[in-house]
Amino acid sequence: MQYSIPGLLFRGFHKCDTRPFVVEGQQVGLIKSDVLKHLIKYPEVFCTRDCEQTKQGFVELNPAFRDYNERTEQLEKVLRNLRSEGLLPALKGWRDEYFEVKSEHRALLKMERAATPLFGVRKYGVDINGYVRHPTLGLCIWLQQRSNTKETWPGKWDNMVGGGLSVGLGIKETAIKEAAEEASIPFHLVKSLVSAGCVSFYFESRQGLFPNTEYVFDLELPVDFVPQNADGEVQAFELLPAKECMDRVFTSDFKTTSAPVVIDFLIRHGHITADDVVDFTQIVELLHVPLQSFYTYKAHLGQSQRQHQNLQGETKNYRCSSLQKSMENGHKRAT
Amino acid sequence: MQYSIPGLLFRGFHKCDTRPFVVEGQQVGLIKSDVLKHLIKYPEVFCTRDCEQTKQGFVELNPAFRDYNERTEQLEKVLRNLRSEGLLPALKGWRDEYFEVKSEHRALLKMERAATPLFGVRKYGVDINGYVRHPTLGLCIWLQQRSNTKETWPGKWDNMVGGGLSVGLGIKETAIKEAAEEASIPFHLVKSLVSAGCVSFYFESRQGLFPNTEYVFDLELPVDFVPQNADGEVQAFELLPAKECMDRVFTSDFKTTSAPVVIDFLIRHGHITADDVVDFTQIVELLHVPLQSFYTYKAHLGQSQRQHQNLQGETKNYRCSSLQKSMENGHKRAT
């Protein structure tokens, strides 16, 4: 297996011509100029302007909209118009399924799922790595084959269980629900679910921008358990030894956007190691692209406000993480 | 527990006034201007120039030096001079211990360990999370208290086992050696060592730049095993339940640069989860700062060369990872 990752996925991001998409003073997305040219036809809904302090250009949802419902309705009206004009390919996949746009855990509006790549909204999902410690084959991993009738990635191999975070459900709750629907995993087994972190990656296509974060869970299953699909979205399940699973992940039969989850699992469980793979650290970095640093509009604003307040002789306490504090104390001690 | 990580550590990096440090055409470090002003007094050893294609300024070790030994000797002569002048605080910690400077797994030279922050050389280490599944206390973690006579972080609490990668040893080999020296872990136990990825983080202090990557290993230990130090560098070991361990990591009694390893362990084992911690995804991203993207000088050069060759009508195959390829194919299929 030969890896050599030049970080192009990550660097590509910086080159792309995007502006922050701001709702209620907080950045929730990124908009490319080829999408912006359609949005500016609706000045009663979208304003483009520059931040007073940083001079950075951004796109704002009209701050006069009063609440969650008004923001949702106004945005949806525009999206339905754009869909009927047929100029944005992403909207051809309209699903009548909502995605909740949040900022710091506060829901700001909901948006048709097919439109999220146009606004570069961060998407969150859950994935369960179902595995077995087989007495003779060693670590084995359950994969699912997606139904041929699915809108996205039909017929491709995928993680045992996965799904997007939808309106109104928590992260572990979503994982448990998907485990029941996709693989009929009973409660006495699913209660052993272990949260194991998240992977973040980014890609661009003609549909738009895909800044994705998947919360990953590991679930050890008994050797004799066989997943059964309950919602018609899966056509088969297969248990593969780690090595064969790794090989399949790199074929075109595997859903590309699920590959990072399997690679992360194999790294965490010692089946891809620094001693046997070139560019191991780059792979780990590529599985954790710092999407957070591309959604910093509010932070910039906060910084400018802070500087402004300091000039006026005012001081204020800002929230700062324990880790951050601990690092800062560390610097002082080290110097 | 309140976390809110604004990514300052990461953003701070971009603001800092640094130039790539290049040896044999490959970037191996970053040099700040306050260090550069001392190095340019040795023009026979260091040249500062701009990349022809990218116009990016960089510092180069004289490419006329023939080999590993000549590069090492010439650099060391400068460092000993600078040390005697006493202008660089980092060199007061001179240890007579070498760190091997590599590029893509090829050793280019060795450098006094205390000087590495001046050249922003990426440092690599290993850490072992020693843990116990206790029948009543649940997941417990072994911590070590560093000896009061250690040069760095004396008396602080730290991971059970950790150490820098040194000349001539592999990654797992280093972990096994350190496990024996620091905690007297016998071979029948250490053979259960599981590679579990790496954490990468970055900080700056008056000593210089610290772009660190730690290869992490997990080691489950029997309930009745007690680590014993063998090399005089540890004054105590203590077994702590996960919750108490987490609390200690955020005190000033804990070695700051070891905290990311413990936090990563607690995340991977389900003791810090997305449902109970604000900014979970940011924490995971902060544990995997994309250091690779700050050491791209060679990649830039490669890109320019490639463009140049393409202009001349030549084509060449460049190494590309399976993951990268798989992502690119995915884009095509998705569009």
Side-chain angles (χ1 to χ4, degrees), chain A residues 19 29 50 52 57 59 65 78 81 94 103-104 119 148 204 206 259 286 335:
Chain A
R19 289 177 185 221
D50 293 338
E52 277 174 40
V59 185
F65 298 153
V78 173
N81 260 326
W94 195 283
S103 174
E104 291 199 347
F119 293 87
N148 284 327
E204 269 188 64
R206 221 161 57 89
L286 195 60
T335 53

Side-chain angles (χ1 to χ4, degrees), chain A residues 123-140:
Chain A
K123 294 286 285 297
Y124 298 88
V126 296
D127 285 87
I128 301 178
N129 299 293
Y131 69 99
V132 167
R133 294 188 196 276
H134 195 279
T136 53
L137 300 170
L139 182 76
C140 293

Side-chain angles (χ1 to χ4, degrees), chain B residues 83-151:
Chain B
R83 183 192 180 197
S84 65
E85 287 175 10
L87 296 170
L88 290 165
L91 297 180
K92 289 183 187 150
W94 195 284
R95 303 196 207 177
D96 280 319
E97 191 184 325
Y98 286 113
F99 180 84
E100 195 150 66
V101 177
K102 293 179 182 181
S103 176
E104 291 198 347
H105 310 274
R106 183 182 153 220
L108 296 171
L109 56 90
K110 57 184 182 178
M111 180 188 283
E112 159 59 30
R113 203 170 259 277
T116 56
L118 301 175
F119 292 88
V121 173
R122 285 184 73 169
K123 295 285 285 295
Y124 298 87
V126 297
D127 285 89
I128 300 177
N129 299 293
Y131 69 100
V132 167
R133 294 188 197 275
H134 196 279
T136 54
L137 299 170
L139 183 78
C140 293
I141 295 152
W142 278 106
L143 296 180
Q144 66 154 267
Q145 188 177 22
R146 297 163 70 86
S147 156
N148 284 327
T149 60
K150 283 207 87 154
E151 275 203 48

Side-chain angles (χ1 to χ4, degrees), chain B residues 65-274:
Chain B
F65 299 153
R66 280 160 308 177
D67 56 17
Y68 182 96
N69 289 336
E70 189 173 359
R71 287 190 285 269
T72 300
E73 284 157 22
Q74 292 286 346
L75 181 71
E76 182 149 340
K77 213 162 60 184
V78 173
L79 291 175
R80 291 195 179 273
N81 260 327
L82 290 170
R83 183 192 180 197
S84 65
E85 287 175 10
L87 296 170
L88 290 165
L91 297 180
K92 289 183 187 150
W94 195 284
R95 303 196 207 177
D96 280 319
E97 191 184 325
Y98 286 113
F99 180 84
E100 195 150 66
V101 177
K102 293 179 182 181
S103 176
E104 291 198 347
H105 310 274
R106 183 182 153 220
L108 296 171
L109 56 90
K110 57 184 182 178
M111 180 188 283
E112 159 59 30
R113 203 170 259 277
T116 56
L118 301 175
F119 292 88
V121 173
R122 285 184 73 169
K123 295 285 285 295
Y124 298 87
V126 297
D127 285 89
I128 300 177
N129 299 293
Y131 69 100
V132 167
R133 294 188 197 275
H134 196 279
T136 54
L137 299 170
L139 183 78
C140 293
I141 295 152
W142 278 106
L143 296 180
Q144 66 154 267
Q145 188 177 22
R146 297 163 70 86
S147 156
N148 284 327
T149 60
K150 283 207 87 154
E151 275 203 48
T152 56
W153 311 95
K156 297 292 176 191
W157 286 95
D158 198 349
N159 301 317
M160 181 183 75
V161 170
L165 281 190
S166 287
V167 177
L169 277 186
I171 294 163
K172 195 170 182 181
E173 256 181 318
T174 305
I176 292 170
K177 177 184 83 94
E178 294 285 346
E181 289 175 5
E182 290 198 350
S184 307
I185 297 176
F187 185 72
H188 75 276
L189 292 180
V190 89
K191 71 179 191 228
S192 310
L193 209 57
V194 177
S195 163
C198 61
V199 297
S200 291
F201 52 95
Y202 168 82
F203 74 93
E204 269 188 64
S205 79
R206 221 162 56 91
Q207 310 284 327
L209 310 176
F210 295 82
N212 281 25
T213 295
E214 298 290 322
Y215 295 102
V216 298
F217 293 86
D218 291 353
L219 181 60
E220 184 169 355
L221 292 165
V223 178
D224 57 359
F225 175 79
V226 177
Q228 302 282 342
N229 181 244
D231 64 3
E233 301 204 350
V234 178
Q235 59 177 296
F237 284 100
E238 190 178 350
L239 185 67
L240 288 180
K243 172 73 183 67
E244 283 175 46
C245 179
M246 189 151 29
D247 292 342
R248 184 164 303 172
V249 165
F250 289 108
T251 67
S252 59
D253 292 336
F254 200 86
K255 177 174 174 262
T256 306
T257 52
S258 293
V261 174
V262 182
I263 296 167
D264 173 67
F265 178 82
L266 293 167
I267 288 174
R268 288 186 290 103
H269 290 262
H271 283 261
I272 299 179
T273 80

Side-chain angles (χ1 to χ4, degrees), chain A residues 131-133 142 188-189 219-227 239:
Chain A
Y131 69 99
V132 167
R133 294 188 196 276
W142 278 106
H188 76 275
L189 291 180
L219 180 60
E220 184 170 355
L221 292 164
V223 178
D224 58 358
F225 175 78
V226 178
L239 185 68

Side-chain angles (χ1 to χ4, degrees), chain A residues 236-305:
Chain A
F237 284 100
E238 191 177 349
L239 185 68
L240 289 180
K243 173 72 184 70
E244 285 177 43
C245 179
M246 189 150 32
D247 292 341
R248 185 164 304 172
V249 165
F250 289 108
T251 67
S252 59
D253 292 336
F254 200 85
K255 177 175 174 262
T256 308
T257 52
S258 293
V261 174
V262 183
I263 296 167
D264 172 67
F265 178 83
L266 293 168
I267 288 174
R268 287 186 291 102
H269 289 262
H271 283 259
I272 299 179
T273 79
D275 277 317
D276 52 38
V277 166
V278 183
D279 300 334
F280 179 78
T281 56
Q282 290 92 308
I283 295 169
V284 176
E285 290 174 8
L286 195 60
L287 297 176
H288 301 93
V289 169
L291 295 177
Q292 178 58 18
S293 63
F294 307 141
Y295 290 78
T296 54
Y297 173 77
K298 189 206 146 217
H300 283 180
L301 198 68
Q303 232 166 29
S304 304
Q305 282 171 345

